[in-house]
Every structure is written in structure tokens, then in C-alpha cells.
Amino acid sequence: MFVVSLNYKVPLEQVDAHIEDHIAWLKQAYAKGMFLASGRKIPRDGGVILAKGDRAALEDELTRDPFHQHDLADYHITEFDPVMVADGLEALKG
């Protein structure tokens, strides 16, 4: 499992100019079964994606993000093994 942390490198106006394409990209990754959750950071200086699967496939998928293609954000990937989860989230366990 992976936590992807995005940090914006540009003003929000530039991010917002590509937000619709970014959301369309997110939906495609959800449809592939790769993404489990995503959302904005608070304060809004980036975002977070919870993903599963192969690291190389995830890294490849991130290159398709319009935020990456337009050099709007930096990405940091943290891999972890969820050995404990809350009731109802057992499917997240490695």
C-alpha cells in the first residue's frame, strides 16, 4: 500500500486551471482499482492519494497526472504494510 503526497509548486490559480483534467485522471485510476482514497490537504498546498498495487505501476500512473505533466506538483511516495486496520477496513491489510 502507498501514500502519495503531492505538494504544489505553483500558485493555486495554475493548479485550478488543470483541476478538471486532474479529476478525470483520478477517476481513471480508481476505475483501474489502483486508487483507494484521495483528497486535498488542509491547508490546500497539495493532496494525498492512498493507492495499492505495484510501485512501478504507481510511478508510471503518476506520470499521467496533468499536475505532473504541467510540472505543478512534487510527489512523495511512502510504502507501508497496514497490519492493523479499523473494523470494516480489513480489505486494506497486506
Side-chain angles (χ1 to χ4, degrees):
M1 176 131 340
F2 303 92
V3 176
V4 180
S5 180
L6 286 74
N7 295 306
Y8 299 143
K9 302 182 339 182
V10 299
L12 285 177
E13 300 80 39
Q14 290 178 302
V15 171
D16 287 341
H18 298 279
I19 197 77
E20 288 182 24
D21 291 337
H22 173 73
I23 291 170
W25 166 76
L26 285 168
K27 288 179 180 180
Q28 289 177 352
Y30 276 102
K32 293 176 185 177
M34 182 177 284
F35 290 178
L36 303 173
S38 60
R40 295 175 175 172
K41 290 182 182 179
I42 299 171
R44 190 175 169 213
D45 59 2
V48 174
I49 300 168
L50 183 61
K52 65 179 183 176
D54 175 72
R55 185 181 184 109
L58 173 60
E59 290 173 347
D60 183 61
E61 186 62 41
L62 293 174
T63 66
R64 293 177 174 75
D65 182 1
F67 288 178
H68 173 79
Q69 294 174 342
H70 295 281
D71 200 27
L72 306 178
D74 287 322
Y75 298 74
H76 181 347
I77 301 170
T78 302
E79 185 171 5
F80 76 105
D81 181 16
V83 295
M84 292 182 69
V85 296
D87 290 344
L89 298 177
E90 290 82 8
L92 296 179
K93 285 177 133 179

